[in-house]
Amino acid sequence: MTLLITGASGFIGRHVCAQLSHHHDILAVLRQPDSQLPALRQQVNALGGQGERLQAVPGDLDLPGLGLPADLPAPRAIIHLGARFAWQLDRDSAHRTNVAGSLAVAELARRHGSRLVFISGFMLENREHLQRLGITGDDPEQVDWQAVYRRAGGYEASKLEAAIRVRALAAASDLDLVEVQPATVAGHSQNGTLDTAQPLFALLDNLASGRLAMVPGSPEHWLPLVAVDHLAALIAVAATSDTVPQRLLALDPDTPNLQGLLAIAANTLGRRAPQRHLPIPVLAALLRLPGMPRLMNTWPEALHFIQPTRFDTASTDAFLAQQGLTRPAMEAVIAASARWYQQYRRDQPDLYPA
């Protein structure tokens, strides 16, 4: 079975390749295959995979037809992890890569008769949040997207729009769509390896650097997490199993509230855990002041992911049990992530002078 992956060289993508390469051949869509493939194979090998089972095809989400070769063999499944991420991402760039690029990937899957494993996000299950943004259903033509981009920011809005438009395409065609909705990605459950672009890294950095004097939100607020290796395993079985739910919520419901998360991390880092809470609207107002986001190392868009909403994971729980997958204990994942951050900080003396 051959699988095609966009975003294979990213943090999640490398772990997915390591999981799948034990039993499957992988085509990785890379912008610069000659230089990127050797490094990706080494990274996959380091994660316990079989890098030699990876091949590269040139492609780019921003190009017409994804820039893929015309003779691309039909893959059994396409895993779409590729995306453009940045806080304060402008709408045009976000839409071109995350929306138009996703629709091009979906059309490729439909044309080849491949299953599409589309990676969206857990906030698509937060109905109250979607309603506040003006999204009340799965019809993309009934949404004022200009208002959504203004309220949510380029990155989140484009991910929401992409998911809803891909759903609409699947509903109007015979596309086999599986949507995986990850929570904020934590480190590896064993060694804590963490992506520096993830909100959890920024949270640990703020805690270790003394910038986090108060807990954002209330005692009910939390930042739902998923360990990267567990997420990769879920994506792998979503791509290869015969019967899969249409949506899989990759979120650990046992993630502690934000105060508890920070207490675990602070204990690992040898810092004092914040005790008092700062209401989200007050923090959001502070972050509207010029220069405050950089000073506080916190971007207003990131606050959307810290919320009190709880989620129903019953369908995903049943699928995990069927596949023999268990979630790693999240408190241990948080501690491992904090230890990895601590070592990362020691290894970056120029960034973190003593």
PDB file of all heavy atoms in Angstrom, residues 57-71:
ATOM      1  N   VAL A  57       8.121  13.273  -4.014  1.00  0.00           N
ATOM      2  CA  VAL A  57       7.582  13.821  -5.256  1.00  0.00           C
ATOM      3  C   VAL A  57       7.575  15.342  -5.102  1.00  0.00           C
ATOM      4  O   VAL A  57       7.254  15.864  -4.031  1.00  0.00           O
ATOM      5  CB  VAL A  57       6.160  13.303  -5.559  1.00  0.00           C
ATOM      6  CG1 VAL A  57       6.193  11.835  -5.916  1.00  0.00           C
ATOM      7  CG2 VAL A  57       5.213  13.549  -4.399  1.00  0.00           C
ATOM      8  N   PRO A  58       7.975  16.062  -6.159  1.00  0.00           N
ATOM      9  CA  PRO A  58       7.971  17.528  -6.057  1.00  0.00           C
ATOM     10  C   PRO A  58       6.546  18.057  -6.027  1.00  0.00           C
ATOM     11  O   PRO A  58       5.678  17.588  -6.778  1.00  0.00           O
ATOM     12  CB  PRO A  58       8.709  17.965  -7.330  1.00  0.00           C
ATOM     13  CG  PRO A  58       8.494  16.838  -8.295  1.00  0.00           C
ATOM     14  CD  PRO A  58       8.437  15.594  -7.464  1.00  0.00           C
ATOM     15  N   GLY A  59       6.298  19.000  -5.139  1.00  0.00           N
ATOM     16  CA  GLY A  59       4.963  19.579  -5.062  1.00  0.00           C
ATOM     17  C   GLY A  59       4.938  20.745  -4.105  1.00  0.00           C
ATOM     18  O   GLY A  59       5.828  20.912  -3.268  1.00  0.00           O
ATOM     19  N   ASP A  60       3.912  21.575  -4.243  1.00  0.00           N
ATOM     20  CA  ASP A  60       3.795  22.783  -3.424  1.00  0.00           C
ATOM     21  C   ASP A  60       2.318  23.151  -3.351  1.00  0.00           C
ATOM     22  O   ASP A  60       1.642  23.251  -4.382  1.00  0.00           O
ATOM     23  CB  ASP A  60       4.602  23.923  -4.063  1.00  0.00           C
ATOM     24  CG  ASP A  60       4.728  25.143  -3.168  1.00  0.00           C
ATOM     25  OD1 ASP A  60       3.774  25.435  -2.420  1.00  0.00           O
ATOM     26  OD2 ASP A  60       5.762  25.818  -3.223  1.00  0.00           O
ATOM     27  N   LEU A  61       1.802  23.336  -2.138  1.00  0.00           N
ATOM     28  CA  LEU A  61       0.386  23.667  -1.962  1.00  0.00           C
ATOM     29  C   LEU A  61       0.007  24.976  -2.644  1.00  0.00           C
ATOM     30  O   LEU A  61      -1.176  25.195  -2.940  1.00  0.00           O
ATOM     31  CB  LEU A  61       0.043  23.752  -0.476  1.00  0.00           C
ATOM     32  CG  LEU A  61       0.102  22.454   0.328  1.00  0.00           C
ATOM     33  CD1 LEU A  61      -0.144  22.729   1.806  1.00  0.00           C
ATOM     34  CD2 LEU A  61      -0.906  21.442  -0.202  1.00  0.00           C
ATOM     35  N   ASP A  62       0.978  25.837  -2.886  1.00  0.00           N
ATOM     36  CA  ASP A  62       0.682  27.137  -3.487  1.00  0.00           C
ATOM     37  C   ASP A  62       0.654  27.114  -5.008  1.00  0.00           C
ATOM     38  O   ASP A  62       0.301  28.119  -5.632  1.00  0.00           O
ATOM     39  CB  ASP A  62       1.711  28.178  -3.032  1.00  0.00           C
ATOM     40  CG  ASP A  62       1.556  28.559  -1.568  1.00  0.00           C
ATOM     41  OD1 ASP A  62       0.537  28.174  -0.974  1.00  0.00           O
ATOM     42  OD2 ASP A  62       2.448  29.227  -1.032  1.00  0.00           O
ATOM     43  N   LEU A  63       1.020  25.982  -5.634  1.00  0.00           N
ATOM     44  CA  LEU A  63       1.108  25.920  -7.089  1.00  0.00           C
ATOM     45  C   LEU A  63      -0.163  25.339  -7.696  1.00  0.00           C
ATOM     46  O   LEU A  63      -0.843  24.515  -7.076  1.00  0.00           O
ATOM     47  CB  LEU A  63       2.303  25.064  -7.505  1.00  0.00           C
ATOM     48  CG  LEU A  63       3.690  25.607  -7.170  1.00  0.00           C
ATOM     49  CD1 LEU A  63       4.766  24.619  -7.608  1.00  0.00           C
ATOM     50  CD2 LEU A  63       3.914  26.970  -7.836  1.00  0.00           C
ATOM     51  N   PRO A  64      -0.499  25.737  -8.922  1.00  0.00           N
ATOM     52  CA  PRO A  64      -1.640  25.120  -9.609  1.00  0.00           C
ATOM     53  C   PRO A  64      -1.438  23.610  -9.731  1.00  0.00           C
ATOM     54  O   PRO A  64      -0.344  23.154 -10.083  1.00  0.00           O
ATOM     55  CB  PRO A  64      -1.625  25.799 -10.988  1.00  0.00           C
ATOM     56  CG  PRO A  64      -0.893  27.092 -10.777  1.00  0.00           C
ATOM     57  CD  PRO A  64       0.129  26.815  -9.713  1.00  0.00           C
ATOM     58  N   GLY A  65      -2.491  22.861  -9.413  1.00  0.00           N
ATOM     59  CA  GLY A  65      -2.371  21.411  -9.462  1.00  0.00           C
ATOM     60  C   GLY A  65      -1.360  20.872  -8.481  1.00  0.00           C
ATOM     61  O   GLY A  65      -0.890  19.728  -8.617  1.00  0.00           O
ATOM     62  N   LEU A  66      -1.001  21.678  -7.493  1.00  0.00           N
ATOM     63  CA  LEU A  66      -0.034  21.325  -6.456  1.00  0.00           C
ATOM     64  C   LEU A  66       1.374  21.117  -7.008  1.00  0.00           C
ATOM     65  O   LEU A  66       2.284  20.725  -6.271  1.00  0.00           O
ATOM     66  CB  LEU A  66      -0.469  20.055  -5.706  1.00  0.00           C
ATOM     67  CG  LEU A  66      -1.859  20.115  -5.056  1.00  0.00           C
ATOM     68  CD1 LEU A  66      -2.261  18.734  -4.535  1.00  0.00           C
ATOM     69  CD2 LEU A  66      -1.866  21.141  -3.928  1.00  0.00           C
ATOM     70  N   GLY A  67       1.581  21.400  -8.295  1.00  0.00           N
ATOM     71  CA  GLY A  67       2.893  21.228  -8.894  1.00  0.00           C
ATOM     72  C   GLY A  67       3.334  19.784  -8.980  1.00  0.00           C
ATOM     73  O   GLY A  67       4.529  19.493  -9.141  1.00  0.00           O
ATOM     74  N   LEU A  68       2.395  18.831  -8.872  1.00  0.00           N
ATOM     75  CA  LEU A  68       2.734  17.414  -8.867  1.00  0.00           C
ATOM     76  C   LEU A  68       2.944  16.895 -10.289  1.00  0.00           C
ATOM     77  O   LEU A  68       2.361  17.421 -11.248  1.00  0.00           O
ATOM     78  CB  LEU A  68       1.614  16.611  -8.192  1.00  0.00           C
ATOM     79  CG  LEU A  68       1.417  16.857  -6.694  1.00  0.00           C
ATOM     80  CD1 LEU A  68       0.137  16.184  -6.223  1.00  0.00           C
ATOM     81  CD2 LEU A  68       2.609  16.338  -5.908  1.00  0.00           C
ATOM     82  N   PRO A  69       3.753  15.857 -10.454  1.00  0.00           N
ATOM     83  CA  PRO A  69       3.945  15.284 -11.790  1.00  0.00           C
ATOM     84  C   PRO A  69       2.657  14.678 -12.322  1.00  0.00           C
ATOM     85  O   PRO A  69       1.832  14.148 -11.565  1.00  0.00           O
ATOM     86  CB  PRO A  69       5.022  14.208 -11.560  1.00  0.00           C
ATOM     87  CG  PRO A  69       4.987  13.918 -10.093  1.00  0.00           C
ATOM     88  CD  PRO A  69       4.576  15.187  -9.424  1.00  0.00           C
ATOM     89  N   ALA A  70       2.489  14.731 -13.633  1.00  0.00           N
ATOM     90  CA  ALA A  70       1.250  14.248 -14.250  1.00  0.00           C
ATOM     91  C   ALA A  70       1.093  12.742 -14.118  1.00  0.00           C
ATOM     92  O   ALA A  70      -0.037  12.232 -14.121  1.00  0.00           O
ATOM     93  CB  ALA A  70       1.223  14.656 -15.725  1.00  0.00           C
ATOM     94  N   ASP A  71       2.208  12.032 -14.001  1.00  0.00           N
ATOM     95  CA  ASP A  71       2.147  10.571 -13.934  1.00  0.00           C
ATOM     96  C   ASP A  71       2.178  10.040 -12.502  1.00  0.00           C
ATOM     97  O   ASP A  71       2.588   8.909 -12.262  1.00  0.00           O
ATOM     98  CB  ASP A  71       3.293   9.949 -14.735  1.00  0.00           C
ATOM     99  CG  ASP A  71       4.672  10.392 -14.216  1.00  0.00           C
ATOM    100  OD1 ASP A  71       4.714  11.317 -13.382  1.00  0.00           O
ATOM    101  OD2 ASP A  71       5.686   9.803 -14.652  1.00  0.00           O
TER     102      ASP A  71
END
